[in-house]
Amino acid sequence: MNKKRMDVLKILLDNEGQFFSGEKLSEIFAVSRTSIWKHIEELKKEGYAIEAVRKQGYRIIDKPDKLQVSTILPHLSSKWLGQNLHVYEQVESTQIKAHQLATEGAPHGTMVVADQQMGGKGRLGRPWHSPSGTGIWLSFIIRPDTPIRKAAQLTLLTAVAILRSLQKRTDVQIDIKWPNDLLVNKHKIVGILTELSAEADRVNYMILGIGINVNQEKQDFPEELIDVATSLFIESEQKWDRNQLLIDLIAEWESLYEHYVTNGFHSIKILWETYSCSLGKKIVANTMDGQYTGIATGITDEGVLLLKDDAGNIHKIYSADISV
Ligand code: BTN
């Protein structure tokens, strides 16, 4: 969408439900009223329901339930996250797209969003169910100046940022399960997949992939997920504007990351511990080198989970599947 049309849309969206005069729009953009009318007609073709009333102007009465650059970009308050934004109707996986862009040199903060993924990737090689029109499937590239051993901190930061951004809009009680699941009533609502490319000890780039179940109804989940997954709609009985949730998430993630870069991991760790449902509980951790059972006592400053077994030994859990 061209820049001027996007700016017209921004004004109408900022004044959603109210009339904005065509004359004022033509003054703001220094173009004729016919030119404004043409932009409005194009916006209607993109799915916006816009009412036009003589002497009052234009007002948006409905917008398409579609993730799109024109609805996201003008509303971003971030400095760099998501400013280079790619939105697709359908991709194999946003994770794969983001890796391609990163190897082609895409800048820090580049984001890929899709309405549907045909081969969405979960952790440990599992598939991630990503149907169209319901969730937010996104991946973004960051190029942090950080050693590999600290990369896990960014997964934890991401979990905190998503939780806080969702919690701004909804009362639904969300918990974090180490390292990267967001749960509601023990059902998974968000998954995070962190992948990185590194040289020697330094991170070259990281891809943070996030899947948020937003508007799925129970029957939208395949059989095997019905008892383990949930969505914001199921939990709140209301449909959500995915563009708005994404705009909120981008603002929250960038602000938390900038705080982290300046002040370090400590306060993020405290926030993570506040939201965690694993700490202080008996857990079973299935790791590459066996199963450990014990109490999750905390996380280290590097984001590694500490598990105390019955004999009082402390185990550091770097990567595992956890059941609480
Ligand atoms: C998990 O197993 O919990 C992680 C799921 C991560 C899913 C997201 S959806 C957007 C991005 N693209 C993918 O293919 N996977 C991640």
Side-chain angles (χ1 to χ4, degrees), residues 53-85:
V53 173
R54 273 194 64 210
K55 300 225 169 96
Q56 293 203 68
Y58 300 105
R59 72 167 170 180
I60 290 207
I61 43 182
D62 203 7
K63 41 191 188 197
D65 177 24
K66 248 170 103 178
L67 288 161
Q68 44 191 2
V69 174
S70 59
T71 337
I72 301 166
L73 207 50
H75 297 274
L76 290 186
S77 58
S78 59
K79 292 195 284 289
W80 46 269
L81 183 60
Q83 292 294 343
N84 184 11
L85 182 64

Side-chain angles (χ1 to χ4, degrees), residues 93-95 117 120-123 128 138-139 188 191-192 210-211:
S93 154
T94 56
Q95 210 68 4
Q117 298 186 113
K121 302 200 298 169
R123 283 178 68 225
W128 181 262
L138 77 131
S139 302
K188 184 151 160 173
I192 304 167
I210 301 172

Side-chain angles (χ1 to χ4, degrees), residues 167-183:
Q167 216 85 89
K168 266 190 193 146
R169 303 257 163 202
T170 144
D171 295 338
V172 170
Q173 164 76 43
I174 306 169
D175 300 311
I176 304 178
K177 191 180 107 184
W178 187 89
N180 50 5
D181 288 349
L182 263 58
L183 308 181

